[in-house]
């Protein structure tokens, strides 16, 4: 791949001598396939193909010889390098910060299309640098646009950032790739899970509709009920009641509701989960079973805890309890600090896709396991019957995607769940989940970002890649659509393999 900058600035690859042309007007990307992409970079006077202005910051495909104009200057195709003859190579692998690359490398010093690895017909590998900040092989900077031989143990650094080349199809690994594909094919045949393509092809890519057909009977709606209680350590609970602090309560607009009845006054939450075993284990978020540990619920609980402490402290001060009963201000403060507000899960129910939402169709579940690290928002519950409902199926978690390749920016993702369920219409077909596809947008230690639309209630939804493999579980998002996040499947696997029993 090669990127050509076009504009009035002398640093551009193709310089236009016109005041109507912006400093950086547009970019041409020459792909390894021979295709050419043109993108206007938000220029003042526009970029035109056949006298039709193109949309800024949106790549479009063009062909050599097309009539292209930048403001008032026509593109001279003689200024655009001819595509390189790569017929002698059986594989081309781009390296750079852009998601179009086969090996994506992050860093401000890494060019979008930094270098290309070429595999000869004999299996030997070569690297070609075409960047601004250069590439080194085993500590030596290599010349630009020159084939340099590399080996499996070569140390390649692009723009000062080391590059992991292990996933390239090295000649010595060919039988490992064959064996890997054979194993995946057997696995896919037995459990119906998609397989990932290797760099030189193979494997099935699923459409979003195919993924829906495959997995929609694995996803369930969850309804949780919980309340808050006051824990007071060594403090006499009668003193709490005298101070006007209830032992059990729920919240409404951060206010105490003292008439607590677990059958009617619990707080109700709605979310998503999915089956992962035939004995009715359901994977969901930790914040679904313990919402008081996260976000606004956590903040409200802490505010309420402080209010309870103030209530007791004021009551004790007015009654002069610090001297008569508790033994002074220091002891009063020690007692006050023991007051804590804790959340209690009353019950959690599940209802499968396609069932009518009614009390008789709600099946009770129990908490089984959760991650001990609150940064890893994952938990497991189980149906009270310990089995799958009819027509339900589990998502296989023995073959999930845990590699970093799954979270490259631009990779396709697809989730299904119950966002905004309470506002959705229902009929005799029962509850119906929603499914949305999008792209990976960010990659963090525990989380990955994606731009598929979501809403409250989708927490706990499974997230798949285009090969039908589970890559994570949706756990959060912003009201502004396009900024949603999921926990990586790696941490799902850790919880399943090493459960933390309740």
């Amino acid at each position: 791949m090669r990127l050509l900058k076009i504009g009035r600035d002398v640093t551009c690859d193709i310089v236009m001598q016109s005041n109507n042309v912006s400093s950086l007007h547009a970019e041409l990307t020459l792909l390894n396939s021979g295709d050419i992409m043109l993108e206007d970079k938000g220029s003042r006077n526009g970029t035109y193909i056949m006298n039709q202005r193109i949309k800024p910051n949106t790549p479009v495909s063009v062909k050599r010889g097309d009539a292209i104009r930048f403001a008032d200057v026509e593109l001279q195709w003689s200024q655009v390098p001819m595509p390189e003859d790569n017929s002698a190579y059986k594989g081309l692998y781009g390296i750079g910060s852009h998601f179009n690359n086969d090996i994506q490398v992050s860093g401000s010093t890494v060019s979008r299309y930094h270098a290309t690895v070429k595999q000869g017909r004999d299996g030997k590998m070569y690297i070609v640098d075409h960047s601004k900040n250069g590439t080194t092989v085993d500590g030596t900077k290599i010349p630009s646009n020159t084939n340099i031989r590399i080996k499996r143990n070569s140390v390649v650094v692009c723009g000062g950032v080391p590059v992991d080349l292990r996933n390239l199809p090295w000649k010595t690994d060919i039988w490992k790739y064959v064996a890997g594909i054979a194993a995946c094919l057997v696995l896919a045949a037995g459990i119906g899970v998609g397989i990932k393509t290797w760099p030189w092809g193979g494997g099935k890519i699923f459409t979003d509709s195919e993924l829906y057909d495959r997995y929609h009977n694995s996803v369930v709606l969850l309804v949780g009920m919980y309340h808050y209680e006051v824990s007071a350590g060594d403090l006499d609970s009668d003193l709490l009641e005298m101070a006007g602090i209830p032992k059990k309560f729920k919240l409404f607009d951060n206010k105490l509701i003292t008439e607590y009845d677990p059958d009617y006054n619990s707080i109700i939450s709605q979310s998503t989960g999915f089956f992962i075993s035939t004995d009715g284990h359901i994977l969901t978020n930790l914040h679904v079973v313990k919402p008081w540990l996260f976000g606004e619920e956590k903040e409200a609980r802490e505010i309420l805890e402080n209010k309870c402490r103030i209530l007791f402290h004021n009551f004790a001060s007015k009654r002069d309890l610090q001297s008569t009963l508790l033994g002074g201000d220091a002891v009063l403060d020690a007692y006050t600090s023991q007051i804590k507000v804790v959340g209690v899960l009353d019950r959690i129910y599940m209802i499968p896709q396609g069932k009518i939402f009614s009390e008789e169709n709600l099946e009770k579940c129990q908490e089984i396991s959760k991650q001990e690290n609150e940064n890893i928002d994952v938990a497991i519950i189980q149906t009270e019957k310990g089995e799958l409902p009819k027509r339900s199926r589990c998502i296989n978690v023995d073959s999930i995607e845990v590699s970093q390749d799954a979270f490259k920016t631009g990779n396709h993702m697809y989730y299904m769940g119950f966002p905004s369920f309470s506002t959705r219409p229902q009929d005799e077909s029962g509850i119906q989940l929603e499914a949305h596809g999008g792209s990976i947008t960010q990659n963090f230690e525990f989380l990955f970002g994606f731009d598929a639309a979501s809403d409250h209630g989708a927490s706990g939804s499974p997230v798949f890649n285009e090969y039908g493999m589970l890559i994570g579980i949706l756990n959060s998002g912003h009201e502004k659509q396009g900024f949603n996040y999921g926990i990586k499947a790696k941490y799902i696997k850790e919880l399943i393999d090493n459960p933390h029993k309740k």
Side-chain angles (χ1 to χ4, degrees):
M1 298 182 188
R2 185 173 178 183
L3 180 70
L4 299 177
K5 296 184 177 182
I6 301 169
R8 193 178 69 251
D9 195 284
V10 294
T11 60
C12 289
D13 300 285
I14 300 177
V15 180
M16 299 290 182
Q17 303 294 337
S18 171
N19 290 332
N20 293 321
V21 175
S22 300
S23 298
L24 174 59
H25 196 101
E27 291 177 344
L28 274 175
T29 303
L30 312 181
L31 301 176
N32 288 333
S33 62
D35 294 334
I36 303 174
M37 304 300 293
L38 172 65
E39 181 178 348
D40 181 272
K41 302 303 291 183
S43 66
R44 183 177 66 255
N45 294 313
T47 299
Y48 299 81
I49 302 175
M50 304 295 288
N51 288 324
Q52 297 294 316
R53 186 166 183 169
I54 66 174
K55 185 178 179 180
N57 302 309
T58 304
V60 295
S61 178
V62 297
K63 296 180 180 179
R64 184 173 290 274
D66 284 350
I68 297 174
R69 175 164 52 87
F70 307 101
D72 57 355
V73 181
E74 297 284 343
L75 172 66
Q76 301 301 313
W77 280 99
S78 59
Q79 296 176 285
V80 180
M82 292 294 293
E84 185 179 353
D85 182 10
N86 289 312
S87 59
Y89 303 99
K90 68 176 183 178
L92 299 173
Y93 309 99
I95 302 173
S97 60
H98 196 276
F99 66 81
N100 275 337
N101 291 283
D102 302 282
I103 301 175
Q104 190 175 1
V105 181
S106 300
S108 59
T109 56
V110 179
S111 299
R112 277 174 284 176
Y113 302 102
H114 199 103
T116 301
V117 173
K118 303 179 179 182
Q119 185 180 36
R121 297 292 177 185
D122 57 359
K124 294 179 180 178
M125 296 286 193
Y126 303 85
I127 190 168
V128 182
D129 174 79
H130 32 74
S131 69
K132 177 182 177 181
N133 294 315
T135 298
T136 63
V137 176
D138 295 328
T140 302
K141 187 173 183 178
I142 64 175
S144 297
N145 303 311
T146 304
N147 289 353
I148 302 297
R149 174 79 185 279
I150 58 173
K151 298 181 179 181
R152 170 187 257 287
N153 59 354
S154 295
V155 178
V156 174
V157 178
C158 290
V161 180
V163 180
D164 186 354
L165 302 177
R166 289 177 296 178
N167 286 332
L168 291 174
W170 297 96
K171 183 179 179 181
T172 54
D173 287 346
I174 189 66
W175 294 113
K176 292 182 182 179
Y177 282 107
V178 172
I181 286 183
C184 286
L185 286 171
V186 171
L187 184 62
I191 60 177
V193 174
I195 61 175
K196 182 179 179 180
T197 57
W198 298 101
W200 43 272
K204 176 176 173 55
I205 293 179
F206 293 88
T207 65
D208 287 354
S209 60
E210 287 175 329
L211 287 174
Y212 181 88
D213 291 340
R214 179 176 291 262
Y215 293 122
H216 72 278
N217 284 330
S218 304
V219 184
V220 297
L221 173 70
L222 299 179
V223 179
M225 299 181 181
Y226 61 99
H227 70 278
Y228 293 94
E229 295 183 1
V230 173
S231 169
D234 298 328
L235 190 62
D236 187 343
S237 60
D238 291 337
L239 291 178
L240 289 180
E241 294 184 5
M242 291 171 63
I245 301 173
K247 296 179 182 179
K248 297 181 180 181
F249 52 84
K250 69 174 186 174
L251 289 177
F252 183 76
D253 289 339
N254 287 343
K255 297 178 182 178
L256 296 180
I257 305 297
T258 56
E259 297 83 8
Y260 171 78
D261 184 328
D263 291 326
Y264 299 101
N265 288 333
S266 292
I267 309 168
I268 299 177
S269 66
Q270 173 260 309
S271 53
T272 302
F274 55 96
F275 288 114
I276 59 171
S277 69
T278 55
D279 56 357
H281 282 189
I282 298 171
L283 192 69
T284 188
N285 294 131
L286 175 59
H287 80 255
V288 169
V289 295
K290 296 187 181 297
W292 50 86
L293 299 178
F294 296 86
E296 294 179 357
E297 291 290 339
K298 178 181 180 181
E299 183 178 346
R301 178 178 57 81
E302 291 173 346
I303 291 173
L304 199 58
E305 186 173 85
N306 189 52
K307 286 182 178 180
C308 289
R309 291 176 177 179
I310 292 173
L311 277 173
F312 179 76
H313 197 282
N314 291 342
F315 165 77
S317 297
K318 289 179 182 178
R319 297 294 185 92
D320 199 26
L321 292 180
Q322 68 267 42
S323 58
T324 59
L325 295 179
L326 302 176
D329 290 337
V331 176
L332 173 59
D333 290 341
Y335 274 119
T336 302
S337 65
Q338 293 186 68
I339 296 177
K340 295 185 183 300
V341 173
V342 296
V344 178
L345 182 68
D346 292 315
R347 56 185 68 84
I348 187 165
Y349 298 100
M350 77 86 190
I351 182 169
Q353 157 79 1
K355 286 271 192 178
I356 300 294
F357 187 84
S358 61
E359 185 174 348
E360 57 268 23
N361 282 335
L362 291 173
E363 183 173 341
K364 193 173 182 180
C365 300
Q366 58 184 343
E367 180 187 347
I368 297 297
S369 180
K370 66 179 180 63
Q371 279 283 8
E372 293 181 335
N373 183 347
E374 291 177 14
N375 288 322
I376 306 174
D377 190 6
V378 182
I380 298 173
I381 62 175
Q382 185 180 23
T383 60
E384 195 171 58
K385 295 179 180 178
E387 60 185 26
L388 286 179
K390 291 181 179 179
R391 294 187 298 277
S392 294
R393 62 178 297 179
C394 58
I395 293 173
N396 188 280
V397 288
D398 292 325
S399 179
I400 60 180
E401 179 58 271
V402 297
S403 73
Q404 287 299 312
D405 286 346
F407 308 104
K408 290 173 63 174
T409 301
N411 280 7
H412 185 69
M413 54 68 58
Y414 184 75
Y415 88 89
M416 54 190 76
F418 293 94
S420 302
F421 167 75
S422 59
T423 65
R424 307 298 181 195
Q426 291 189 69
D427 55 25
E428 63 277 0
S429 62
I431 63 171
Q432 297 296 319
L433 54 79
E434 286 191 28
H436 297 279
S439 299
I440 303 292
T441 57
Q442 291 175 296
N443 184 6
F444 304 100
E445 180 181 0
F446 301 114
L447 298 169
F448 61 96
F450 56 90
D451 58 10
S454 180
D455 207 341
H456 298 292
S459 292
S461 299
V463 183
F464 304 97
N465 63 12
E466 59 188 343
Y467 305 105
M469 303 178 76
L470 184 71
I471 62 171
I473 180 171
L474 191 155
N475 83 309
S476 60
H478 293 288
E479 292 183 0
K480 182 179 179 181
Q481 289 297 348
F483 295 91
N484 300 300
Y485 300 93
I487 300 293
K488 293 180 177 179
K490 169 184 178 181
Y491 302 103
I492 296 174
K493 185 72 171 171
E494 286 184 2
L495 177 62
I496 294 171
D497 293 343
N498 300 286
H500 305 290
K501 298 295 184 183
K502 179 176 178 296

